[in-house]
Amino acid sequence: MAKKLGMTSDELFDALYDKHYIDRRLNIKPDTRDAFFAEYPDFATGLSSGKVKDRNVAKPRPVKIRKAVYSEIRELWEAINQRYLLFYDDDLDADMAKVVLSLLEKPGVFTDVVMTSSRDIVKSDGSQMMIVSDTGAQYIVSKPIPYNEFLKRITNATNIPIKVLHEALCEYVKRNGTINPERNVCRNNHFSGGSY
């Protein structure tokens, strides 16, 4: 456009900026828009004003419900918007310790974590293809964690208080003996679906 008017782009910018037709970011100022297009009609190609609407300018209108309709759904609406506060009885903790102990005594809770590798090899003899499955090595993972970290992880996964977990583990040790430190990986899947 500057070449068409016989000037450089910098000179055109200076002229438009001095006449307050544009701002520093090259945006056309709305208050001098008509004068700008009257003086420079070659810029009038493209969208005319009012074709693009900014939806962010208009504030959203609240949804209104007629009184007759609201009276029909009032009970449901109030039930949805209620807040609940749950209180647990203290005797629930005693039952919880028994439940946790029963989970600990299930077979396979305290066990080794074994990793096994397997692979499928695709072979071709030119006329047909086949998959050969092969089992690789097995590794026993031994990564003990401190007792307090173990309790924190179980508590975070289940929301069972640390005190209840500790009491259940102490009772488990009384009944079944010491847990082997090399096998102290407790598979948390009996508690919450994961494992440690």
Side-chain angles (χ1 to χ4, degrees):
M1 189 63 70
K3 288 180 184 178
K4 190 174 183 181
L5 295 172
M7 56 178 79
T8 66
S9 58
D10 289 336
E11 292 171 339
L12 178 61
F13 173 79
D14 291 339
L16 295 175
Y17 186 74
D18 289 341
K19 294 178 182 178
H20 301 288
Y21 291 150
I22 62 172
D23 61 11
R24 292 179 189 263
R25 294 187 181 99
L26 303 177
N27 296 319
I28 299 171
K29 293 183 176 182
D31 53 331
T32 58
R33 178 183 174 89
D34 294 332
F36 169 71
F37 286 122
E39 189 173 341
Y40 298 98
D42 292 335
F43 282 102
T45 59
L47 291 174
S48 57
S49 77
K51 293 288 183 178
V52 178
K53 295 180 181 176
D54 187 358
R55 292 185 153 220
N56 295 327
V57 172
K59 293 182 181 177
R61 292 176 290 167
V63 176
K64 296 181 181 180
I65 300 175
R66 289 177 282 159
K67 288 182 182 181
V69 175
Y70 179 73
S71 63
E72 293 177 15
I73 62 168
R74 180 179 180 181
E75 289 180 36
L76 173 64
W77 187 256
E78 288 176 353
I80 290 172
N81 288 323
Q82 281 182 342
R83 296 182 186 256
Y84 294 97
L85 186 59
L86 300 177
F87 292 98
Y88 294 104
D89 294 332
D90 290 334
D91 59 339
L92 185 63
D93 283 343
D95 295 339
M96 185 63 72
K98 292 176 187 173
V99 171
V100 171
L101 180 60
S102 69
L103 289 173
L104 292 173
E105 290 180 332
K106 284 187 176 183
V109 173
F110 292 99
T111 183
D112 292 326
V113 175
V114 178
M115 292 185 346
T116 304
S117 66
S118 64
R119 62 180 164 181
D120 294 333
I121 301 171
V122 179
K123 292 187 176 183
S124 173
D125 61 2
S127 62
Q128 62 181 357
M129 297 185 76
M130 59 189 124
I131 298 175
V132 179
S133 296
D134 188 17
T135 302
Q138 288 189 345
Y139 300 99
I140 296 174
V141 178
S142 177
K143 188 178 177 186
I145 59 173
Y147 181 67
N148 65 334
E149 183 65 29
F150 167 75
L151 290 177
K152 286 179 187 176
R153 287 185 185 184
I154 298 293
T155 297
N156 289 338
T158 62
N159 288 328
I160 298 172
I162 288 178
K163 182 179 177 184
V164 172
L165 288 171
H166 176 69
E167 289 172 0
L169 282 164
C170 289
E171 184 62 30
Y172 176 84
V173 169
K174 284 180 190 175
R175 291 183 184 183
N176 300 302
T178 307
I179 301 168
N180 184 350
E182 292 301 316
R183 297 180 64 149
N184 70 352
V185 178
C186 179
R187 291 172 121 355
N188 191 24
N189 57 358
H190 293 287
F191 290 104
S192 67
S195 63
Y196 291 107

